[in-house]
Amino acid sequence: MEVVILGGSRPIGKLAADAIEKLLLRKPDAVLGLATGSSPLPVYEELAGRHAAGLDFSRASGFALDEYVGLPDGHPEQYRNVIRREFTDRINIDPANVHSPDGSAADIPAACDAYEAAIAAAGGVDLQLLGVGTDGHIGFNEPGSSFASRTRIKSLIEQTRKDNARFFTSLADVPHHVITQGLGTIMDARHVILIATGAQKAQAVRDFVEGPVAAICPASVLQFHPHATVLVDEAAASALKLADFYRHTYDNKPSWQGL
Ligand code: F6R
């Protein structure tokens, strides 16, 4: 796991966008794993700018990490709409190639199986963007999630509903159920880039980067990922024991290595 401590959201967005741009230049039909929430917004902003300057997404495809269950179609907080609004409508990716779990499916288990099959048919995710919840969740794999889990329905912990209430009119409007890629699904991505900013993430970052690998902290499974990059600002890094070592390592990294 590589930990990079940067001065704020802007440099984090640029560095993650550099990795995505490099991937697209090497593999124009790359498969991107897309997170929602606040953490990836600087990356989407940066990529929209790079698209305006010529970066081509026409052969790329995208898979959202998760989706609320039961929000009516067209609801602004349905993650399929958030992804469009914040990212894919701002670039030239083919809308037919942007996929989300179906949170209004009549047969949820079948929809989850179909989502796994669609990711596999696309050749797997090349680069997965992630945020982390204050309780250490990735996707909506709340504490206790199986490390082997695949896409499935999950219940949200009350803290996550409270954290996400800022996007809704009231806490009561935040759904209790979601469909999320499993931890096993996320671990299959060839490269994962997790972004965490702000002091409210410091404990979760400390727990998953330097704590034991345990289901109580789902993001800790990334310690087993062969290519996991963690981009954090100073506030989110503030509880890390080895912060100076991560800074020293990144500052002295050979330039050919990239992320
Ligand atoms: C969103 C997702 C969640 C968020 C996490 C952090 O698709 O899967 O795991 O990444 O809840 O949310 P923010 O970035 O809003 O702090």
Side-chain angles (χ1 to χ4, degrees), residues 34-40 65-66 79 130-134 137-140 160 164 166-167 180 195 200-201:
L34 305 173
T36 43
S38 306
S39 305
L65 261 181
D66 39 23
Y79 278 172
L130 295 173
V132 64
T134 53
H137 70 232
I138 48 175
F140 275 136
T160 301
N164 287 5
R166 68 190 192 279
F167 296 114
T180 180
I195 293 167
Q200 74 283 5
K201 298 290 174 70

Side-chain angles (χ1 to χ4, degrees), residues 12-197:
I12 288 176
K14 281 181 184 296
L15 195 59
D18 285 347
I20 292 170
E21 178 165 357
K22 203 169 154 196
L23 170 66
L24 284 167
L25 294 177
R26 177 173 62 79
K27 187 178 180 188
D29 60 348
V31 178
L32 305 175
L34 305 173
T36 43
S38 306
S39 305
L41 295 180
V43 188
Y44 298 151
E45 189 62 36
E46 180 68 27
L47 288 172
R50 292 189 193 194
H51 168 61
L55 183 60
D56 181 28
F57 291 82
S58 62
R59 294 178 56 202
S61 52
F63 285 86
L65 261 181
D66 39 23
E67 181 60 280
Y68 289 114
V69 169
L71 287 183
D73 275 347
H75 189 290
E77 288 310 316
Q78 247 187 349
Y79 278 172
R80 71 173 57 209
N81 297 324
V82 175
I83 292 273
R84 281 188 197 141
R85 191 169 65 234
E86 303 290 358
F87 185 42
T88 58
D89 282 354
R90 306 168 70 195
I91 56 172
N92 67 332
I93 195 167
D94 181 346
N97 289 340
V98 181
H99 310 270
S100 300
D102 184 357
S104 39
D107 185 341
I108 297 252
C112 294
D113 289 349
Y115 201 61
E116 286 282 333
I119 294 173
V125 171
D126 290 298
L127 191 154
Q128 176 67 58
L129 284 174
L130 295 173
V132 64
T134 53
D135 63 358
H137 70 232
I138 48 175
F140 275 136
N141 296 280
E142 296 284 28
S145 293
S146 160
F147 286 172
S149 51
R150 312 301 304 188
T151 302
R152 70 217 183 289
I153 190 167
K154 289 291 285 180
S155 295
L156 291 180
I157 277 183
E158 204 50 18
Q159 183 59 48
T160 301
R161 293 187 63 248
K162 285 183 185 152
D163 288 347
N164 287 5
R166 68 190 192 279
F167 296 114
F168 291 83
T169 316
S170 72
L171 176 59
D173 294 334
V174 184
H176 287 267
H177 291 108
V178 290
I179 294 178
T180 180
Q181 288 187 29
L183 294 173
T185 320
I186 292 169
M187 287 293 282
D188 284 346
R190 293 179 188 94
H191 183 193
V192 302
I193 297 182
L194 186 151
I195 293 167
T197 52

